[in-house]
Amino acid sequence: MSKFFIYFILLVSIFYTGCIEPFSFDVENVEAPLVIESYISNVSYNESVKFPSDGRFFTTTLRFGQNLSGKGQNAEGAQVRLISENGEIWYYTEIHSTPGTYVLLDPDFKAIAGMNYKLHITLKNDDQYESEWESFEENNNRMGNVSFVETERYETQFRPGDASPVIRSVRGINLTVNLPEFNSEEKSYYKWEYESTWIFVAGRLSRENPFYRCWVLGNSYLSQYNIAEVNSGGFDQELVFINVESNERVAENLSVLVKQFRISKEYYNFLNELNEQSQAGNIFAAPPYNLKTNYKSINKQKPVFGFFSVVHEEARRIYFSEDDLSYPISNSTEEMCKSAIPPYQPGDPCDNCLNYSLGGVATLSKPFWWTY
Amino acid sequence: MRIILALYFLLGMSGIYPLAAQSGNIVTITEADNGKRLIDLLDEIEHTNNIDFITDRREELEAYTVTGVTESLYLGEFLEFYLKPLGLVAVKPEDNIYLFISKDIQKSFGNRKSNFLILNSGKNTKSATIKGIVADAADQPIPGAQIVIPELGVGAISAVDGSFSLNVKKGIYKIRTTFIGFDSTAYIVAFSPLGKKKAVDMMMLPQSIHLEGITITAKASDNNVQSQITGVNSMNIETIKELPSFMGETDVIRSLTTFPGVSTAGELSSGFNVRGGDVGQNLILQDESIIFNPTHLFGFFSAFNPDIVNGADLYKGGGPANYGGRISSVLNISLRNGDAGKYNINGGVGLVSSRLTVEGPIQKSKSSFIIGGRLSYVNWMINALNNVKLQNSEASFRDLTGKLFFTLNDKNIVSVSGYTSYDNFRLNSDSTFSWTTQNFNVKWDHIFGDRLSSKLNFSNSNYKSTVDNQDEINGFIYYNSINNLRLNYDLVYAIDEKLKTSFGFDINQREIEPGRLESTDLGMNIVPVDLNDQHSAETSVYLQNDYDITSSLAISAGLRFSNFWRYGKDRLFDYDYTQLDGRYPTIIDTLTYAPGEIISYYGGLEPRVSLRYSVSEDFSVKASYYRTYQYLHLISNTVSVTPQDYWLSSSPHLKPQKADQWSVGLFKNLNKDKFELSAEGFYKDIYDAIDYIEGADITLNESMEAGLIQGKGMAYGLEFMAKKNYGKLYGWLSYTYSRSLRRFEATEEYQTINDGKLYPSVYDQPHNLSLVMSVMLNPYVIFSTNFSYSTGRPITIPISKLSYEHYLSVLTYSNRNEYRIPDYHRLDISLTIKDRPKQNKVMYGEWVFGIYNLYGRKNAYSVFFNSKGSAFKMSILGTVFPSITYNFKI
């Protein structure tokens, strides 16, 4: 009987023990591309402060890609220039604390509608790269109000005790932005980015304790972006779903700066493919392909990647808390912290809000723009 | 007339002595026989040695007198010398029987005993009856075949059991059999009181005249050299069954891949590739109905039931002119007729599937039926294992094949066949892949007379593929399908023995559903999509001539004129190819077509010619050229070929593919056809070959045609084969070196691949080797082994990665198909043990024990990459697979 069982297992193995194992190709002499992240908009640093936000300068980051097992390097010591079609040139300055990051330190610089710009880069070794001419148009750029609607969605979740994933309804809010109606024969393309900030309180401390309340500047929470292809406006565009259950970020106050970019069709396609390519492959996946770039190497045949975009930018800030919901929920970090059983671990954010690090960086300083 | 034998020996012709001695080593002619009349001497020998000399030129022989014999001669030597001046040669088809035939006949028929049929008859009778059976290579009777003695102008039609009889005056005759779809066969028939045969067995081989191809038939051990069939490697269906199989399932397709020039895209991949062509470039016919997916279970098993398949012919070119529509090959699989004499049941029981076939007469000797089915039962095994992944998996297939056969009268035969199959497959996911084939065919064979016959065929082929996802949020059902109606008519006119012509037409009407997406009741997030159905018609007329110019030189020439119409109702886009909208050309107009309105037309002449020159009886040289068009395209933009790949019709934006193929080959048999050697070279140009633009999204995309680009393809190679046909050890070794390359060079950059340089197609496998060997341990025990090796197929891989914005891993890729997955090799063995025959035994059976992938090689089914660029080799059959099957026949 046992022999039969072994035999049986062998047979069943056709559908199961067909194995998947790591494999490596012998890839040699592949030159890693220079990766360029850069954009400019119609909003200068000084104007971005009035979103309101901490403000931002236009930056360009340069680093090299890597082979599949290696690590990329920042491209330091480069000369980065922004050139307009009028021949004006703006130089970026490298920030030495973050090598490979170059900032256009003109607080009033902003792109002008209809003007063509390109980015020119010269590396230390004299390799030169240049983007195509890019511009934005002064139409269909208006941004309506940002609001939220209560919603729920179904998610597949594993929870302790579940033998298999379970479909569950999750309550939350959808951030939406109103796109004012416009008439155009051509489609318009948009990108929305989010900057989140929320209050976190150390639940085991008294409210008077200086480390009780922190403002967390989100760097990975809501770090995604959304893009859309729009024929005409006049509707509310759903942006991002925020789970309100078991989410300490909405326990006190959550503020989201929604930035709307009117982008070119080419940039839209680039972002769309970037998103598609990030999906994991399988044996039935379409053959892979290289993404398009609007940079090129101009004095040598060097690989380069990225998309220099010139966009129209507008932003709205919204605040949200549990009290804004039509139904009660409890995300009290105080209760959560107090219900924990000692001994407490060192570095527990319940004992010091600065220890909090889930998706952002905590600070005791209240942002100057925080008005809620 | 006197002939001086001494001179003969002076001229040093004694070199033939041993041969002559072999043919008459008992009877000797001595000096004492000088002066006798030759005919008297022969009569004397007949009487004293119980020998029969058969000749129809007795009167001529009477004029000769024996002279010049100075030393004892063996009978064979003596006859050879004396008959030569008369233009005669003596052959010895049976012991004690000498048949005097003309040199021309000898040149045509050689010295093979099996070509001369000596029927037993009384010595003093003037007439005799020729009785016999016409059967195919699998010993299946062929009803309706014409049996003709041209010299006498008499003939007969074989009955439903293949039998026939002819009353003739005794003599030496050439008797010829013809039947639609088979090569005509000729034998020399004579009569003798010493003859052992009471009846003659006329074996016919499926038609594959003058064409490059592999004929899986039987017994034609010298077929590759001697017959009109060129470039042929032969293997009968029994040999296919002897090949080591996967899980005990006999697989016609996998057997084909052991021949040179035929390969698979990957382990257990759907379909097969011929001479560097795509899977979709093979026309696969089963009883004239088109099979669009020849596999079960994602390619694990072939779609053809081996118990009902009669034979399979694979033409590695365009096939005869009556075939068309594909540019790489034609695989013609015929179903056998049921036994019209008695009821039979046969089948097999395996561990993952079983099969059962029942056949028998409807009206004895007139009509018959055969029906057979296969059923897999993998699911119970999967479900029995307490594993979450397997419990969420299923795999099964079933098929049913049937055929009815009616002999209406001597001149009319009708057959009806049907085939239905269903597959489903789910592996640890919510998506169930399934596909169905439903084919139906009616064939009417009509004989007008001795020289003219016809075949009218109507068939319907339907293939539908489905993905059913029952996810509670994103549930969907995806379909694609194709339906093909076919009407073809073929007239065959045998002008004489050397020249045969056939002509006819072929009409196909197609409906294609390129893709439809529906949401399930639960699939709230799915937006339905329904691409427009495609309607098209393809017609052709053809003429094929096969002519034996001399006994050495034969030509087969055909001309096919094909036409294609795409028509409405439909909606197509017009594009500006110079302006891109993302990856795709910009849509500048939408064109709507009313039902029946012509959208596009294509057509062309397809000449085919093949030459064979027999250098000697066992050595020939062949050359051929084919031009073929393909108006239907299999779209498969996935890493692996899948059942979900779909077909598209040619359109204003998608031209038909066209191929020109040249080939030349040498064919040599050794040791009385015991061994076959062949070497063939080919070169193929493919025009408007299809590939995909970078980032093409061709699933459920109304602009899918814009994601396709057309360019140049080329394939070339050398194919070698060495085969041992019989003996205790038999089998073959085949090796192919070939390349399959593409070049896509266009003014628009997005239509250019790899900078316009030549690059390998996905099916480019330079080295391909198969060794198939069987050892007959005794008549009832056969050990077989099969070893396969092929170069890994090309693949596009990530070569570097980078981070961009919040994407931590963005991959950059190599040139298209720049790298290769690991080489493939595998060794299988099997042991077949047959029941020994016993009197009155009702059921015969055989056990087949097999081990697939003996050394457990983890061959790559595919290599895929995760989002970080790490490669993973997926081995579907990464271990040793034993199997056991019991086959039976009642």
Side-chain angles (χ1 to χ4, degrees):
Chain A
M1 187 64 192
S2 60
K3 284 184 179 175
F4 176 77
F5 183 72
I6 292 169
Y7 186 66
F8 170 74
I9 295 299
L10 281 172
L11 291 171
V12 171
S13 64
I14 174 180
F15 299 105
Y16 189 58
T17 61
C19 58
I20 295 174
E21 56 188 26
F23 183 78
S24 63
F25 286 91
D26 188 13
V27 179
E28 293 179 347
N29 302 322
V30 173
E31 191 163 15
L34 175 68
V35 183
I36 308 170
E37 291 180 26
S38 182
Y39 85 99
I40 58 171
S41 76
N42 62 317
V43 178
S44 68
Y45 169 82
N46 286 332
E47 290 169 335
S48 71
V49 172
K50 296 173 187 172
F51 279 156
S53 75
D54 291 337
R56 57 97 189 91
F57 288 99
F58 295 117
T59 62
T60 296
T61 59
L62 303 178
R63 61 182 171 277
F64 290 101
Q66 61 204 58
N67 60 41
L68 294 174
S69 57
K71 192 175 178 182
Q73 290 185 328
N74 296 319
E76 302 174 39
Q79 183 194 68
V80 180
R81 291 180 292 163
L82 178 70
I83 302 169
S84 75
E85 63 178 313
N86 290 340
E88 292 177 281
I89 298 175
W90 294 267
Y91 288 90
Y92 286 67
T93 304
E94 186 171 13
I95 299 176
H96 293 289
S97 59
T98 52
T101 300
Y102 302 81
V103 181
L104 202 164
L105 290 171
D106 181 344
D108 293 316
F109 170 78
K110 59 182 179 183
I112 298 168
M115 178 75 74
N116 281 313
Y117 298 89
K118 69 178 178 182
L119 198 67
H120 186 282
I121 292 146
T122 305
L123 298 183
K124 278 193 300 189
N125 62 2
D126 200 37
D127 289 352
Q128 294 183 36
Y129 303 87
E130 200 169 73
S131 74
E132 294 175 6
W133 291 105
E134 297 289 335
S135 65
F136 74 93
E137 296 175 11
E138 191 66 78
N139 55 28
N140 307 338
N141 293 330
R142 287 170 50 211
M143 182 181 188
N145 291 327
V146 173
S147 58
F148 63 86
V149 291
E150 292 178 5
T151 185
E152 61 183 55
R153 71 177 184 185
Y154 292 95
E155 289 182 349
T156 304
Q157 296 180 342
F158 266 111
R159 287 189 181 173
D162 291 344
S164 57
V166 176
I167 306 292
R168 286 197 168 88
S169 171
V170 179
R171 291 188 294 183
I173 57 169
N174 255 341
L175 284 187
T176 63
V177 61
N178 179 262
L179 276 175
E181 190 167 358
F182 59 85
N183 292 317
S184 173
E185 290 184 357
E186 294 187 352
K187 293 176 180 176
S188 297
Y189 301 88
Y190 298 93
K191 176 187 181 187
W192 292 276
E193 290 181 352
Y194 316 99
E195 286 181 14
S196 58
T197 308
W198 62 93
I199 292 173
F200 178 80
V201 295
R204 281 197 290 271
L205 300 181
S206 67
R207 291 176 180 269
E208 291 74 30
N209 190 302
F211 297 102
Y212 171 74
R213 180 186 304 269
C214 287
W215 281 263
V216 183
L217 309 177
N219 53 15
S220 61
Y221 182 64
L222 301 183
S223 62
Q224 73 269 40
Y225 59 77
N226 293 77
I227 55 175
E229 180 184 56
V230 178
N231 290 315
S232 61
F235 62 90
D236 287 339
Q237 169 77 31
E238 286 190 359
L239 296 176
V240 61
F241 176 81
I242 297 174
N243 180 358
V244 298
E245 295 177 345
S246 306
N247 186 355
E248 76 284 355
R249 299 175 187 89
V250 298
E252 300 290 328
N253 273 304
L254 171 68
S255 176
V256 180
L257 180 69
V258 179
K259 294 191 281 188
Q260 174 176 292
F261 303 96
R262 165 86 150 85
I263 61 177
S264 68
K265 183 176 170 182
E266 289 73 22
Y267 187 40
Y268 170 85
N269 289 330
F270 173 82
L271 295 172
N272 199 29
E273 289 186 350
L274 196 60
N275 184 51
E276 283 180 1
Q277 207 211 51
S278 66
Q279 310 300 317
N282 59 58
I283 60 170
F284 300 127
Y289 54 92
N290 285 308
L291 300 180
K292 283 184 173 180
T293 176
N294 66 346
Y295 292 102
K296 62 183 176 185
S297 168
I298 55 175
N299 64 340
K300 297 174 185 173
Q301 289 295 316
K302 297 279 189 174
V304 58
F305 181 81
F307 200 99
F308 174 65
S309 56
V310 180
V311 300
H312 179 278
E313 183 177 7
E314 216 171 323
R316 301 277 188 278
R317 180 170 292 282
I318 187 171
Y319 291 88
F320 174 78
S321 73
E322 289 178 2
D323 298 338
D324 295 318
L325 293 170
S326 63
Y327 48 88
I329 57 167
S330 176
N331 280 319
S332 169
T333 51
E334 285 182 77
E335 289 177 17
M336 183 187 72
C337 289
K338 286 172 182 171
S339 64
I341 300 169
Y344 307 122
Q345 296 297 316
D348 191 329
C350 289
D351 297 325
N352 184 340
C353 68
L354 288 175
N355 291 334
Y356 181 85
S357 60
L358 291 176
V361 178
T363 175
L364 295 171
S365 304
K366 177 182 173 182
F368 75 91
W369 43 263
W370 188 274
T371 57
Y372 197 77
Chain B
M1 186 177 186
R2 290 178 177 271
I3 302 165
I4 307 303
L5 275 179
L7 180 62
Y8 174 76
F9 291 104
L10 285 173
L11 291 174
M13 298 302 288
S14 57
I16 66 161
Y17 181 84
L19 286 174
Q22 287 173 6
S23 59
N25 55 0
I26 297 173
V27 181
T28 56
I29 314 299
T30 64
E31 278 185 283
D33 294 317
N34 285 325
K36 293 179 181 175
R37 286 202 311 159
L38 175 60
I39 201 69
D40 292 339
L41 177 61
L42 294 178
D43 287 345
E44 182 184 322
I45 293 170
E46 280 185 340
H47 289 127
T48 56
N49 296 283
N50 194 31
I51 285 175
D52 190 17
F53 297 106
I54 306 173
T55 178
D56 53 3
R57 292 167 68 175
R58 186 176 176 88
E59 290 178 3
E60 290 179 58
L61 295 176
E62 287 176 350
Y64 287 79
T65 300
V66 178
T67 184
V69 178
T70 57
E71 57 183 85
S72 292
L73 293 174
Y74 288 109
L75 177 59
E77 298 170 335
F78 174 78
L79 290 176
E80 184 173 348
F81 178 79
Y82 263 92
L83 297 181
K84 195 172 183 179
L86 294 167
L88 293 173
V89 290
V91 295
K92 193 180 178 190
E94 292 183 18
D95 290 342
N96 297 346
I97 296 178
Y98 288 84
L99 180 64
F100 299 170
I101 56 173
S102 69
K103 284 182 179 175
D104 286 344
I105 290 177
Q106 195 240 3
K107 206 165 186 178
S108 298
F109 287 81
N111 291 323
R112 290 171 59 82
K113 288 183 178 181
S114 58
N115 290 339
F116 302 92
L117 308 173
I118 310 300
L119 286 171
N120 181 273
S121 69
K123 186 170 179 73
N124 299 317
T125 56
K126 290 189 174 179
S127 63
T129 301
I130 302 175
K131 291 182 178 177
I133 301 285
V134 183
D136 64 10
D139 285 334
Q140 293 300 310
I142 300 176
Q146 293 181 73
I147 303 95
V148 180
I149 299 178
E151 184 179 343
L152 300 177
V154 298
I157 303 293
S158 62
V160 72
D161 59 355
S163 64
F164 68 92
S165 69
L166 280 169
N167 289 318
V168 297
K169 182 184 167 187
K170 285 168 68 174
I172 301 172
Y173 302 115
K174 183 194 292 187
I175 185 167
R176 182 164 52 86
T177 56
T178 57
F179 188 61
I180 300 159
F182 288 80
D183 276 333
S184 62
T185 308
Y187 296 88
I188 297 297
V189 175
F191 305 89
S192 167
L194 303 180
K196 293 173 184 168
K197 288 186 168 63
K198 299 286 186 188
V200 294
D201 294 327
M202 314 280 282
M203 196 269 284
M204 300 187 76
L205 294 170
Q207 188 179 53
S208 43
I209 299 167
H210 295 289
L211 293 155
E212 299 283 7
I214 292 168
T215 302
I216 302 176
T217 56
K219 300 178 182 176
S221 57
D222 62 346
N223 218 29
N224 62 326
V225 173
Q226 279 298 324
S227 75
Q228 288 184 316
I229 306 166
T230 64
V232 172
N233 304 105
S234 299
M235 180 169 68
N236 63 35
I237 197 73
E238 293 304 319
T239 307
I240 295 175
K241 289 180 178 178
E242 285 173 12
L243 284 178
S245 60
F246 172 65
M247 304 301 275
E249 276 291 320
T250 301
D251 193 324
V252 175
I253 299 290
R254 189 171 296 118
S255 303
L256 289 173
T257 62
T258 64
F259 286 123
V262 189
S263 61
T264 58
E267 186 166 46
L268 300 177
S269 177
S270 300
F272 56 94
N273 306 98
V274 177
R275 289 183 170 173
D278 296 349
V279 169
Q281 292 172 346
N282 305 315
L283 176 66
I284 302 172
L285 299 170
Q286 181 174 262
D287 251 18
E288 302 293 335
S289 298
I290 298 173
I291 298 286
F292 290 101
N293 183 345
T295 58
H296 281 310
L297 284 183
F298 267 109
F300 279 61
F301 306 114
S302 94
F304 309 108
N305 187 337
D307 288 340
I308 301 183
V309 167
N310 190 35
D313 304 326
L314 178 69
Y315 303 98
K316 290 189 282 187
N322 55 318
Y323 293 122
R326 302 291 189 277
I327 59 172
S328 277
S329 77
V330 179
L331 173 61
N332 187 24
I333 291 175
S334 57
L335 301 178
R336 67 185 178 90
N337 300 328
D339 193 326
K342 58 185 174 58
Y343 292 97
N344 294 316
I345 299 173
N346 62 64
V349 180
L351 288 165
V352 295
S353 68
S354 289
R355 61 187 199 280
L356 185 71
T357 300
V358 181
E359 61 183 308
I362 298 173
Q363 184 182 5
K364 208 154 189 173
S365 299
K366 287 280 188 183
S367 56
S368 68
F369 74 93
I370 184 168
I371 185 165
R374 293 187 294 173
L375 181 69
S376 74
Y377 32 82
V378 182
N379 283 342
W380 72 268
M381 302 172 74
I382 295 173
N383 294 331
L385 201 66
N386 187 22
N387 181 289
V388 173
K389 284 187 174 180
L390 285 181
Q391 285 183 343
N392 198 26
S393 301
E394 63 176 337
S396 68
F397 74 84
R398 57 181 181 265
D399 63 31
L400 188 68
T401 312
K403 187 172 184 180
L404 300 172
F405 177 82
F406 304 95
T407 304
L408 304 181
N409 51 44
D410 284 353
K411 296 187 182 301
N412 294 287
I413 297 167
V414 172
S415 65
V416 180
S417 61
Y419 171 75
T420 179
S421 77
Y422 172 79
D423 278 77
N424 72 353
F425 186 91
R426 184 175 67 192
L427 184 59
N428 190 28
S429 76
D430 292 325
S431 293
T432 301
F433 296 80
S434 64
W435 59 99
T436 61
T437 296
Q438 290 180 319
N439 284 6
F440 172 77
N441 181 72
V442 183
K443 188 168 67 173
W444 172 40
D445 290 306
H446 177 69
I447 297 160
F448 293 99
D450 290 349
R451 298 182 183 278
L452 184 63
S453 61
S454 71
K455 178 180 69 178
L456 179 66
N457 192 80
F458 173 76
S459 64
N460 182 63
S461 307
N462 185 279
Y463 176 71
K464 183 177 182 181
S465 171
T466 306
V467 183
D468 188 346
N469 184 300
Q470 291 297 326
D471 186 272
E472 290 186 48
I473 300 173
N474 297 307
F476 66 88
I477 303 175
Y478 166 80
Y479 306 93
N480 71 62
S481 65
I482 180 168
N483 192 79
N484 191 93
L485 283 170
R486 182 178 185 219
L487 178 70
N488 58 307
Y489 186 64
D490 188 52
L491 274 167
V492 180
Y493 182 54
I495 296 167
D496 59 30
E497 292 166 30
K498 294 182 178 179
L499 178 60
K500 187 176 78 174
T501 184
S502 62
F503 45 95
F505 64 80
D506 193 351
I507 300 171
N508 288 272
Q509 191 274 335
R510 292 190 196 101
E511 301 288 330
I512 295 176
E513 167 63 83
R516 187 168 85 242
L517 186 74
E518 296 173 354
S519 66
T520 61
D521 293 340
L522 297 168
M524 297 165 286
N525 291 344
I526 297 300
V527 179
V529 178
D530 187 3
L531 301 183
N532 291 329
D533 291 357
Q534 298 185 354
H535 316 273
S536 64
E538 185 177 334
T539 68
S540 57
V541 291
Y542 60 86
L543 175 67
Q544 173 83 33
N545 284 298
D546 305 314
Y547 183 36
D548 290 337
I549 300 168
T550 69
S551 58
S552 299
L553 184 63
I555 183 171
S556 174
L559 186 63
R560 182 182 178 92
F561 179 51
S562 59
N563 302 273
F564 172 85
W565 293 268
R566 171 97 175 257
Y567 56 89
K569 179 184 178 184
D570 212 336
R571 191 184 70 159
L572 272 72
F573 297 123
D574 201 5
Y575 301 97
D576 180 351
Y577 288 93
T578 62
Q579 297 294 322
L580 287 187
D581 180 0
R583 298 276 180 173
Y584 282 68
T586 304
I587 297 171
I588 55 173
D589 200 2
T590 301
L591 306 171
T592 303
Y593 296 90
E597 185 179 354
I598 301 299
I599 298 171
S600 58
Y601 165 80
Y602 295 102
L605 286 171
E606 304 177 35
R608 300 136 195 241
V609 63
S610 180
L611 290 166
R612 183 215 62 201
Y613 181 73
S614 297
V615 179
S616 66
E617 192 175 298
D618 54 11
F619 180 43
S620 64
V621 182
K622 300 163 189 174
S624 65
Y625 163 75
Y626 304 106
R627 164 165 289 186
T628 46
Y629 282 93
Q630 178 163 343
Y631 304 98
L632 188 65
H633 315 280
L634 180 63
I635 305 304
S636 174
N637 193 27
T638 53
V639 174
S640 300
V641 179
T642 75
Q644 271 55 54
D645 299 339
Y646 56 89
W647 295 86
L648 282 186
S649 291
S650 292
S651 74
H653 309 294
L654 188 61
K655 296 176 192 168
Q657 298 177 78
K658 183 175 78 174
D660 286 326
Q661 178 177 301
W662 294 264
S663 67
V664 61
L666 305 173
F667 301 85
K668 172 73 177 172
N669 284 9
L670 301 168
N671 199 6
K672 295 183 179 175
D673 307 324
K674 193 172 188 178
F675 298 96
E676 289 178 17
L677 297 173
S678 67
E680 288 183 79
F682 70 91
Y683 177 83
K684 182 161 65 176
D685 273 328
I686 302 171
Y687 305 94
D688 294 312
I690 293 175
D691 213 322
Y692 308 89
I693 63 171
E694 290 273 294
D697 176 12
I698 56 167
T699 302
L700 293 170
N701 185 345
E702 282 192 296
S703 299
M704 63 176 86
E705 290 176 348
L708 307 175
I709 47 178
Q710 296 192 280
K712 179 84 185 295
M714 62 182 288
Y716 57 87
L718 281 171
E719 301 167 351
F720 301 95
M721 187 162 183
K723 185 177 179 186
K724 185 168 184 281
N725 281 318
Y726 53 89
K728 197 170 181 179
L729 172 72
Y730 55 94
W732 61 91
L733 173 69
S734 68
Y735 169 75
T736 304
Y737 174 80
S738 65
R739 298 303 309 271
S740 174
L741 305 172
R742 300 284 184 270
R743 187 197 296 277
F744 284 72
E745 195 173 23
T747 51
E748 302 302 325
E749 188 181 345
Y750 76 97
Q751 294 176 322
T752 299
I753 298 175
N754 292 357
D755 300 324
K757 296 174 184 167
L758 276 176
Y759 67 96
S761 76
V762 176
Y763 311 107
D764 179 54
Q765 294 174 294
H767 301 285
N768 217 307
L769 181 140
S770 283
L771 174 64
V772 176
M773 201 168 58
S774 292
V775 182
M776 191 177 288
L777 302 174
N778 67 47
Y780 309 104
V781 181
I782 299 168
F783 173 78
S784 298
T785 182
N786 170 42
F787 174 74
S788 303
Y789 168 84
S790 58
T791 311
R793 61 185 173 80
I795 189 173
T796 307
I797 67 165
I799 52 174
S800 70
K801 66 180 176 183
L802 51 94
S803 60
Y804 192 83
E805 296 183 346
H806 71 275
Y807 293 99
L808 297 178
S809 180
V810 178
L811 303 176
T812 65
Y813 292 91
S814 67
N815 282 332
R816 191 171 298 190
N817 298 340
E818 187 178 356
Y819 289 80
R820 288 180 184 275
I821 67 172
D823 291 351
Y824 178 95
H825 52 89
R826 192 192 76 232
L827 177 66
D828 315 319
I829 59 172
S830 73
L831 185 70
T832 303
I833 303 174
K834 300 178 182 178
D835 282 355
R836 290 170 187 268
K838 289 180 183 172
Q839 224 172 9
N840 301 324
K841 189 170 184 176
V842 177
M843 186 172 90
Y844 284 92
E846 64 179 21
W847 288 96
V848 182
F849 302 92
I851 300 178
Y852 189 89
N853 197 11
L854 182 65
Y855 53 83
R857 161 97 172 160
K858 292 179 180 176
N859 284 304
Y861 174 70
S862 178
V863 173
F864 63 95
F865 306 88
N866 66 10
S867 58
K868 295 177 182 175
S870 300
F872 295 90
K873 185 181 79 170
M874 183 175 187
S875 305
I876 297 280
L877 302 176
T879 187
V880 180
F881 286 95
S883 67
I884 179 171
T885 304
Y886 181 72
N887 299 319
F888 61 90
K889 183 171 185 178
I890 301 172

